[in-house]
Amino acid sequence: MEIGVGLPTMTGGLTTERLRAWAQGAEAYGFSGLAVLDRLVCDGAEPLVALAVAAAVTERIRLSTQVLIPTYRGNTALLAKQTATIHRLSRGRLVVGVAAGIRADDHEVSGTDFHSRGRDLDRLLEELTRLWGDASFGPPLHDDRPELLVGGRSDAALVRMARYAAGTVVVAPPQQFAQRAGQALEFWKAHGREGRPRLVAQTYFSLGPDGADEARRHLGSYYAFAGPVAQWIAASALTTPEAVAEAVVAYRRAGCDELTFIPCSTDVRQLDMLAAAVKESP
């Protein structure tokens, strides 16, 4: 199982210096990928811009959206151009994870329809994959296009994954992840796909003496729209080295291909502590 780490783009206060330090540090430690989340109405960095910066200061590490909400962007041709550009300039390191999203305010402020986002995403994925092979957008990305992943909790998301993508992104504890992985494989086979889907998991972490408090502050605020669920999400963050090591073992046993740890702080020392904790896992 590969281990990836998120860029702290949603925590607020991210500077060029800290982004560079996170990206280069993650690559130096040997993490498999750098992932970004996507929100429009929040004090965070735009994910594709952040990945472009990370691409410029790294050489090997994968660059992943986990996940991008493309339907509020409203312009598939522009999205195809942006993602193709990052993929080319990073020499083929971009992974595009997408989902329909759960925030109405992101759609409202962008003038797109929140209620039709599922149907819109189906059309968008069809068009996006076509545009990646269109010479009018630059050298066509036929055999060297970004890996496409689909996230989401619904059966419709699994159908989307089986139709268009190489795999799925799951945000769930290990036991629920294993169940979702089994469902993903069923949908995959039902759509006549060979092999198996790539299975990516995602979990929050916040280490050190103030780690638990930092997780409660950040995740409680970030998910405040969800009401009491916000505190459950905050409590699920991994806040000790032992919890990180146990998560690595549990997700590996659940069939995960890549586990991505999403930070709750821009403090680059979090990256150092995470690398040490992962190293201690059996």
Side-chain angles (χ1 to χ4, degrees), residues 26-260:
E27 184 166 78
Y29 276 125
F31 287 102
S32 57
L34 281 169
V36 290
L37 307 182
D38 188 14
R39 281 281 313 285
L40 187 56
V41 184
C42 75
D43 180 20
E46 203 286 323
L48 293 179
V49 173
L51 282 187
V53 174
V57 299
T58 57
E59 296 181 358
R60 300 177 304 279
I61 195 167
R62 284 198 301 267
L63 310 165
S64 178
T65 62
Q66 286 188 22
V67 290
L68 197 72
I69 312 300
T71 50
Y72 78 62
R73 294 166 186 271
N75 189 324
T76 309
L78 178 58
L79 179 63
K81 185 75 169 184
Q82 290 170 325
T83 51
T85 298
I86 295 174
H87 194 58
R88 291 192 192 100
L89 294 181
S90 67
R91 296 187 296 276
R93 290 187 282 144
L94 182 64
V95 177
V96 179
V98 301
I102 59 175
R103 291 293 303 251
D105 52 357
D106 287 339
H107 287 266
E108 289 169 1
V109 75
S110 62
T112 53
D113 189 349
F114 176 73
H115 299 289
S116 67
R117 66 195 188 283
R119 296 187 300 274
D120 292 341
L121 182 55
D122 289 333
R123 290 192 294 269
L124 184 148
L125 289 173
E126 190 81 41
E127 186 177 2
L128 181 65
T129 53
R130 178 183 63 80
L131 289 171
W132 277 341
D134 189 336
S136 64
F137 284 77
L141 303 179
H142 291 302
D143 299 323
D144 183 32
R145 63 180 57 191
E147 181 180 68
L148 189 60
L149 303 174
V150 173
R153 299 179 181 274
S154 66
D155 286 353
L158 290 178
V159 170
R160 220 167 272 134
M161 179 273 300
R163 289 181 62 190
Y164 300 107
T168 186
V169 179
V170 180
V171 182
Q175 184 176 3
Q176 295 179 20
F177 177 89
Q179 180 183 10
R180 187 66 170 174
Q183 294 171 335
L185 183 58
E186 291 176 5
F187 278 81
W188 187 266
K189 291 180 176 179
H191 281 75
R193 301 287 298 272
E194 296 182 357
R196 58 183 290 272
R198 179 168 167 76
L199 305 170
V200 178
Q202 186 186 101
T203 187
Y204 287 104
F205 81 99
S206 186
L207 300 173
D210 300 321
D213 289 339
E214 189 68 46
R216 281 192 294 269
R217 284 194 297 270
H218 168 59
L219 296 174
S221 173
Y222 188 72
Y223 288 101
F225 74 95
V229 176
Q231 296 308 313
W232 178 87
I233 295 172
S236 72
L238 307 177
T239 58
T240 67
E242 294 77 14
V244 168
E246 290 170 5
V248 170
V249 173
Y251 279 103
R252 185 188 296 124
R253 289 175 177 169
C256 181
D257 294 309
E258 183 177 29
L259 174 59
T260 301

